[in-house]
Amino acid sequence: MTRTYVVTGSASGIGATTAQLLRDRGDRVIGIDLRNAEVEADLSMPQGRIDAAAQAIELAGGTIDAVIACAGISAPIPKTISVNYFGVTELLENLRPALTKSEAPRVAVVSSMASLQQNSPEMVEAALAGDEATALSIAEQYAAAGGMAGYIVYPSSKRALSRWVRRQSITPEWAGAGIPLNAVAPGTVVTPMTQELLSTVEQRSMVDANVPMPLNYHQPPESIANLLIWLTSVENTHLAGQVIYDDGGADASLRGDDIWSWND
Ligand code: NAD
């Protein structure tokens, strides 16, 4: 049965690969991106999230079977928290009414193994509280401090997103409405986002020291796209609230074997 997918970030990298794989198997894809997409919108802005959802729902004819949220940026600037956190969570909330009309609604978002890196707890808490102005002003302070300080915005945005997924996935709005909500956390994926970062030997060694990938090294976008497609398929009936580290073994390398001691 043909399903209707909304894919954000559909013009490049992981989103473009996901959209293409879905179209190849006959599914309908409504892409959302800044440009070169069925819906052109800026997800860094609250109005852009509202307009994008309204247009996508209209194009879909009112019912959306799945949303795969890939749009994101990694720059050390305040906008990164707006796109990567609010551009996902607010858009999903705006799309949720159309998902509830599907017989098998599913959602998957792209987080990052960077969610395991040093972050700003204050920025994460502000994001989780839905306070974009405060999250942005904290991010602004880090960016203005100069040097490497601004690089904390990206891991903070992804930590907040992973926590939002776990928190929301079990609520009446998501699990209660029969919508599995999960995240995929990639390692280093070869896309336009990482092209410059991986362009010199020195920068590659710096990336690899932070993101060890003993299994098959840097990954192609298909390695993430195929998992996103399974998570949003009819076959996924019980996987909810998970952040799946599809990262060549980076998470296992960094966190080791004991991540289950919460109730010891
Ligand atoms: P990419 O730069 O190739 O694609 C990102 C897409 O998002 C682009 O098409 C861009 O136009 C779109 N986008 C950016 N800002 C937007 C906005 N304000 N409104 C609408 N669309 C916007 O990057 P990618 O590597 O495919 O990244 C996809 C996702 O994967 C991102 O969330 C990224 O953080 C995450 N990720 C990537 C890597 C990696 O190594 N490439 C690793 C971990 C996580």
Side-chain angles (χ1 to χ4, degrees):
M1 201 180 66
T2 301
R3 282 164 65 74
T4 299
Y5 283 74
V6 170
V7 177
T8 76
S10 60
S12 177
I14 295 168
T17 301
T18 305
Q20 191 56 52
L21 289 173
L22 287 167
R23 287 184 175 122
D24 288 349
R25 33 176 248 180
D27 287 310
R28 175 161 185 229
V29 176
I30 298 166
I32 301 178
D33 209 305
L34 288 168
R35 55 197 79 81
N36 300 325
E38 284 70 27
V39 175
E40 297 189 349
D42 183 353
L43 297 175
S44 73
M45 306 299 289
Q47 192 60 46
R49 298 161 201 153
I50 292 169
D51 293 345
Q55 284 179 50
I57 292 171
E58 196 184 328
L59 282 174
T63 302
I64 292 170
D65 295 304
V67 182
I68 299 179
C70 304
I73 54 173
S74 56
I77 55 173
K79 193 195 259 196
T80 298
I81 188 81
S82 285
V83 179
N84 294 5
Y85 181 82
F86 295 97
V88 179
T89 60
E90 282 189 6
L91 181 76
L92 286 177
E93 276 155 14
N94 295 338
L95 290 171
R96 212 177 56 77
L99 281 161
T100 60
K101 300 204 176 110
S102 167
E103 278 174 27
R106 310 282 185 260
V107 171
V109 311
V110 181
S111 182
S112 171
M113 67 69 58
S115 58
L116 302 172
Q117 295 171 341
Q118 194 193 0
N119 61 86
S120 156
E122 297 78 18
M123 204 188 312
V124 170
E125 287 304 332
L128 284 167
D131 186 349
E132 188 167 4
T134 301
L136 273 169
S137 95
I138 297 167
E140 185 59 58
Q141 287 164 34
Y142 278 105
M148 300 295 281
Y151 284 96
I152 208 162
V153 182
Y154 182 72
S156 303
S157 72
K158 295 300 189 179
R159 174 72 67 93
L161 182 60
S162 291
R163 286 187 57 187
W164 182 86
V165 164
R166 282 184 74 81
R167 194 180 274 197
Q168 289 298 319
S169 64
I170 51 176
T171 61
E173 288 75 26
W174 296 95
I179 313 175
L181 169 63
N182 294 283
V184 176
T188 303
V189 189
V190 181
T191 69
M193 180 182 275
T194 50
Q195 198 168 18
E196 206 191 310
L197 194 65
L198 301 175
S199 63
T200 68
V201 176
E202 292 75 26
Q203 290 191 140
R204 273 202 300 279
S205 350
M206 193 262 296
V207 170
D208 295 344
N210 287 307
V211 191
M213 298 179 70
L215 177 68
N216 293 330
Y217 199 46
H218 298 164
Q219 54 197 129
E222 287 79 2
S223 64
I224 303 300
N226 283 315
L227 180 55
L228 290 167
I229 289 172
W230 185 82
L231 286 170
T232 51
S233 69
V234 174
E235 285 76 15
N236 176 19
T237 55
H238 284 76
L239 201 149
Q242 294 302 308
V243 178
I244 303 179
Y245 291 87
D246 182 354
D247 62 2
D251 169 41
S253 302
L254 294 168
R255 283 201 294 174
D257 59 76
D258 182 12
I259 56 164
W260 294 287
S261 41
W262 66 281
N263 202 23
D264 289 352

